[in-house]
Amino acid sequence: MSTQDADGLDVAAIREDFPILEREFNGNDLVYLDNAATSQTPDQVVDEIARYYREYNANVHRGLHQLSQEASIAYEDAHDTVAEFVGASGGREEIVFTKNTTESMNVVASSWGLSELGPGDEVVLTEMEHHAALVTWQQVCKKTGAECKFIRTTDDGQLDMDHARELIGEDTKMVSAVHVSNTLGCINPVGELADLAHDHDAYVFVDGAQAAPNRPVDVEAIDADFYAFSGHKMCGPTGVGVLYGKQHLLEAMEPYLYGGMMIRKVTFEDSTWNDLPWKFEAGTPPICEGIALGYAINYLEDLGMENVRRHEERLAAYAYDRLTEMDDVDVYGPSPEQGRTGLVSFNLGDVHAHDLSSILNDYAVAIRAGDHCTQPLHDELGVAASARASFYVYNTEEEVDKLVEAIEGARELFA
Ligand code: PMP
């Protein structure tokens, strides 16, 4: 009998798919709240990874033998699965498999940025960008003479859209914005940013690393020119990420890596490039990982991305409420009513987040502590680090209660 909760998920049944959640430490059940860093992988995906290696492991695109054909078809089909998942009507031509979100960012910043940016041009980012975007555009701007500008964060932890309207202008060539902040948990109006960018003939790159795992994404409704995310944050394996790009933009861009598979014809003098997306997938690609990402997406789609979104928002709201009830806990980012999903970053008094997380580990509560690859944002918040609890499809309100109990235990220890 199905025991779906109000979000439409049967969390008890989902948890059975993730045997890692049965682990215990120090006599406590594992409470895994570090999903924004890496989510766990369900048996359905692990089994497919094993089946790949047991039954049809071979290199792709190259062989005429049966195994290679099976691997090639599965790998290529996985691109179509991703295309459908994000609403890319161009299909596999618009979906490049990379190593991760970071590499997807580097593909565009290098291939597009190094040839299109120059002195006087501006790349508009947000203050809450992950280092994956911030450092990458910063360094490409240094090389090209372009300038990075940053859209401010409001005092209540949201993107300051008035400032966005001020900054995005004639000189803007690219707007690069995070869809869901991995530190503040806010959901940025990336569709509005895309409209602003397009009004000024600029492009928009959306970092969807924290959004694609937990809400329905439609790149065409957003009108994103580029959109990136990682398999390992959405029930998939490490080692595979996605770069969505509008077909005409990917066609116009130079390859990022050169070598085998990405070419059509090579002579001693020159080379021509393969069709999309293979032009951007030089060398042996993440074959098993890409196929497994397709299965991870099937798993999430069976749960229903609307249900996943509701679940993530409810848990984030519950955690926000429980943590803000504590006078000595500072929570960063907007309230649930203002729009928050997936995660809550916070500090307990002046206890360093690393110390807090190591005490929480004694309770088998796994959270993240540090700057979450958003150092400049932490500078703006006036703290060196924060603790971050982040949720996924298998987490429960009871686990949020255990987090709160563990924080209370830590408070007594540090008192
Ligand atoms: N952007 C955001 C918003 C993230 O949360 C992360 C992962 N912490 C990344 C980019 C980078 O992802 P990856 O390490 O998989 O490249």
Side-chain angles (χ1 to χ4, degrees):
M1 193 186 81
S2 165
T3 50
Q4 284 179 348
D5 62 18
D7 309 320
L9 296 185
D10 184 346
V11 175
I14 290 172
R15 288 181 74 86
E16 309 241 309
D17 297 334
F18 296 83
I20 199 169
L21 299 175
E22 288 161 23
R23 290 203 61 187
E24 288 180 13
F25 305 102
N26 309 318
N28 295 310
D29 292 337
L30 169 65
V31 176
Y32 186 78
L33 301 179
D34 194 17
N35 296 285
T38 289
S39 64
Q40 298 302 342
T41 315
D43 273 349
Q44 288 84 337
V45 174
V46 175
D47 290 348
E48 287 300 336
I49 292 171
R51 196 169 72 80
Y52 168 83
Y53 283 110
R54 290 204 174 110
E55 293 182 18
Y56 62 104
N57 175 30
N59 216 320
V60 289
H61 306 319
R62 288 175 183 165
L64 289 177
H65 61 79
Q66 181 67 24
L67 285 187
S68 175
Q69 283 178 30
E70 287 178 19
S72 299
I73 289 168
Y75 181 69
E76 290 169 9
D77 285 353
H79 288 68
D80 295 336
T81 304
V82 174
E84 236 170 81
F85 182 64
V86 296
S89 59
R92 65 180 64 171
E93 283 83 357
E94 298 189 310
I95 301 295
V96 177
F97 281 179
T98 59
K99 195 166 60 181
N100 48 33
T101 305
T102 305
E103 190 175 76
S104 300
M105 189 73 68
N106 275 270
V107 170
V108 175
S110 292
S111 294
W112 176 88
L114 289 178
S115 62
E116 297 297 322
L117 293 173
D121 292 339
E122 292 176 358
V123 175
V124 173
L125 301 128
T126 78
E127 283 184 347
M128 58 181 92
E129 284 318 293
H130 188 280
H131 295 167
L134 199 158
V135 178
T136 306
W137 288 116
Q138 179 189 67
Q139 295 306 311
V140 166
C141 283
K142 274 186 200 283
K143 283 187 187 154
T144 56
E147 197 186 340
C148 283
K149 298 249 165 134
F150 294 90
I151 305 168
R152 277 192 300 261
T153 307
T154 61
D155 288 343
D156 50 9
Q158 302 186 79
L159 198 61
D160 184 339
M161 286 304 288
D162 289 336
H163 194 221
R165 279 181 277 276
E166 264 172 53
L167 279 191
I168 298 170
E170 292 304 288
D171 296 330
T172 309
K173 293 289 174 293
M174 173 66 77
V175 175
S176 183
V178 68
H179 193 171
V180 168
S181 162
N182 65 314
T183 300
L184 300 172
C186 57
I187 307 147
N188 289 325
V190 285
E192 262 180 71
L193 287 175
D195 290 346
L196 277 174
H198 295 152
D199 286 348
H200 295 92
D201 294 327
Y203 297 114
V204 67
F205 189 124
V206 180
D207 172 353
Q210 298 298 344
N214 73 22
R215 54 205 309 100
V217 166
D218 184 334
V219 290
E220 293 184 359
I222 295 169
D223 203 9
D225 297 297
F226 303 100
Y227 195 99
F229 52 99
S230 299
H232 67 97
K233 295 180 197 285
M234 46 192 291
C235 293
T238 56
V240 63
V242 172
L243 169 65
Y244 157 81
K246 286 182 181 166
Q247 192 167 343
H248 70 101
L249 295 177
L250 292 178
E251 258 158 16
M253 275 159 54
E254 272 295 296
Y256 172 63
L257 291 173
Y258 298 105
M261 313 266 277
M262 49 76 67
I263 50 81
R264 176 176 306 287
K265 174 88 184 118
V266 180
T267 65
F268 286 123
E269 289 73 34
D270 209 356
S271 306
T272 56
W273 314 136
N274 203 344
D275 295 334
L276 290 175
W278 323 123
K279 170 181 144 184
F280 288 101
E281 295 191 11
T284 299
I287 303 168
C288 175
E289 293 83 353
I291 294 170
L293 173 60
Y295 282 102
I297 286 176
N298 291 343
Y299 181 84
L300 288 172
E301 285 193 321
D302 282 349
L303 298 182
M305 287 308 292
E306 258 311 316
N307 299 337
V308 174
R309 180 186 65 76
R310 273 196 297 271
H311 180 77
E312 292 273 301
E313 291 182 2
R314 182 172 57 79
L315 282 186
Y318 183 67
Y320 179 92
D321 290 345
R322 294 269 1 234
L323 290 169
T324 47
E325 272 165 18
M326 294 190 266
D327 290 341
D328 52 353
V329 170
D330 290 320
V331 177
Y332 308 108
S335 68
E337 295 69 39
Q338 291 170 306
R340 154 186 293 279
T341 185
L343 59 97
V344 182
S345 299
F346 59 96
N347 270 306
L348 169 67
D350 51 15
V351 175
H352 195 285
H354 284 160
D355 295 332
L356 178 64
S357 123
S358 110
I359 302 296
L360 263 49
N361 187 49
D362 294 342
Y363 291 80
V365 175
I367 60 154
R368 191 75 162 179
D371 58 43
H372 321 310
C373 298
T374 56
Q375 281 182 15
L377 176 64
H378 276 79
D379 290 343
E380 292 291 311
L381 294 171
V383 290
S386 59
R388 181 184 70 190
S390 52
F391 313 105
Y392 212 31
V393 290
Y394 33 73
N395 289 125
T396 62
E397 290 192 353
E398 291 71 34
E399 289 183 307
V400 175
D401 293 337
K402 286 186 183 171
L403 165 73
V404 169
E405 275 166 38
I407 295 171
E408 281 163 353
R411 176 194 290 128
E412 275 170 35
L413 211 74
F414 288 109

